[in-house]
Amino acid sequence: MTVIGFIGLGTMGGPMAANLVKAGYEVKGFDLVPAACYRAVEDGIKVTSSAVEAADGVDVLITMLPKGDHVRQALLVDNGPLSVLAPGAVVIDSSSIDVPTSRDLHERGVELGIDVLDAPVSGGLAGAQAGTLTFMIGGASEIVEKVRPLFQAMGSRTVLTGGPGSGQVAKAVNQMVFGSSLVALSEAFVIAERLGVSPQNLFDVLSTSSGDCWALHNFCPLPGLVEGSAADNNYAPKFAAALLSKDLGLAATAADSAGVELVVGRGAKDKLDELSINDGHLDASAVITKVGLKLAAAASGPI
């Protein structure tokens, strides 16, 4: 397989497609945003005038789109990109979307004789650029093996989570754990500050005790504690709050369908939703401002 179609060349899709070019693949890409297309051309991607053209004649079609509605509009339409794929072609949807849409895409693939994998990612922009993403994959293991070199060009780890839609389930609950951790950290720093414990002292405790977590070392909500944190850069987004809010919404929907009442996850979603109303462009770690810390104080340095 040497010709790859790629629909969605934005923040994540652009670097992923570029890494496929670096690995020696011919990549045809499409995006509705002109700026994304300009960057893609610079990265060696052959930008097309439509999603259908990007899919025409390719062996594998990869999509990285913002929402389930976008996946439906792009792929689950008559005379869309799937209509020009040959039987036996593979569709890899790396969008983070709702489970029903993902399963509908799998079903359409069965109807057309096309193999579909749902393969959302973890690792953010840095992982997309470095080619170190983790793929959570729902679908048949033999299809995963068929396209494994592509996953290796874009990421460092693949986890086969089960059948159709299971990758989306795994991604949603992973984000729920991350978001919940981030809100809990924000609460912890605000409580500690108000009761006389410095941020540095609390960080030293959390980072060496049972409260340690991935969010603390990669999305510490206060500046001056972790080198390179978004908090050190006025919360310029490493992972935008609006995106995490969307992911927590997907987790809540999954919980409802499973008959599980969310307590911690729902609370985290509420805080990220609140931040995203006016400041969704900020990094998700700015959620500390919705816990009780003013943004100006958070951005200026340790409290």
Side-chain angles (χ1 to χ4, degrees), residues 124-136:
L125 175 58
Q129 293 173 330
T132 57
L133 295 170
T134 292
F135 289 87
M136 293 152 270

Side-chain angles (χ1 to χ4, degrees), residues 53-114:
E53 186 180 349
D56 191 17
V58 305
D59 303 292
V60 178
L61 178 63
I62 303 174
T63 51
M64 176 57 92
L65 298 168
K67 297 180 179 180
D69 288 346
H70 299 129
V71 172
R72 288 188 178 276
Q73 294 164 8
L75 299 182
L76 296 178
V77 293
D78 294 335
N79 302 315
L82 299 189
S83 68
V84 298
L85 294 177
V90 179
V91 174
I92 301 172
D93 179 33
S94 286
S95 317
S96 293
I97 61 174
D98 57 285
V99 176
T101 295
S102 184
R103 289 178 173 169
D104 286 347
L105 179 59
H106 279 269
E107 290 178 6
R108 182 65 60 85
V110 171
E111 294 171 2
L112 298 174
I114 297 167

Side-chain angles (χ1 to χ4, degrees), residues 6 16-17 19-20 62 127-128 131-133 135 150-156:
F6 210 113
M16 291 166 66
N19 282 330
L20 289 170
I62 303 174
T132 57
L133 295 170
F135 289 87
L150 304 185
F151 288 125
Q152 292 173 334
M154 298 183 289
S156 59

Side-chain angles (χ1 to χ4, degrees), residues 41-223:
V41 170
E42 294 175 350
D43 289 330
I45 297 158
K46 298 180 179 180
V47 175
T48 64
S49 60
S50 70
V52 172
E53 186 180 349
D56 191 17
V58 305
D59 303 292
V60 178
L61 178 63
I62 303 174
T63 51
M64 176 57 92
L65 298 168
K67 297 180 179 180
D69 288 346
H70 299 129
V71 172
R72 288 188 178 276
Q73 294 164 8
L75 299 182
L76 296 178
V77 293
D78 294 335
N79 302 315
L82 299 189
S83 68
V84 298
L85 294 177
V90 179
V91 174
I92 301 172
D93 179 33
S94 286
S95 317
S96 293
I97 61 174
D98 57 285
V99 176
T101 295
S102 184
R103 289 178 173 169
D104 286 347
L105 179 59
H106 279 269
E107 290 178 6
R108 182 65 60 85
V110 171
E111 294 171 2
L112 298 174
I114 297 167
D115 296 313
V116 176
L117 299 173
D118 55 285
V121 302
S122 180
L125 175 58
Q129 293 173 330
T132 57
L133 295 170
T134 292
F135 289 87
M136 293 152 270
I137 308 173
S141 59
E142 60 269 23
I143 305 306
V144 176
E145 293 306 316
K146 182 178 179 181
V147 296
R148 185 170 293 280
L150 304 185
F151 288 125
Q152 292 173 334
M154 298 183 289
S156 59
R157 189 179 186 200
T158 59
V159 180
L160 181 59
T161 52
S166 65
Q168 299 296 346
V169 175
K171 172 64 185 288
V173 297
N174 177 78
Q175 297 301 84
M176 182 183 70
V177 172
F178 165 56
S180 299
S181 299
L182 192 54
V183 172
L185 285 173
S186 298
E187 293 173 342
F189 278 112
V190 171
I191 292 169
E193 182 271 334
R194 291 183 179 178
L195 297 180
V197 178
S198 74
Q200 185 62 62
N201 285 345
L202 181 61
F203 180 88
D204 291 342
V205 170
L206 292 174
S207 63
T208 57
S209 302
S210 57
D212 196 18
C213 61
W214 188 87
L216 177 64
H217 295 277
N218 293 276
F219 285 84
C220 186
L222 280 182

Side-chain angles (χ1 to χ4, degrees), residues 226-242:
V226 175
E227 183 177 356
S229 70
D232 280 343
N233 191 26
N234 292 316
Y235 296 97
K238 294 174 65 177
F239 184 51

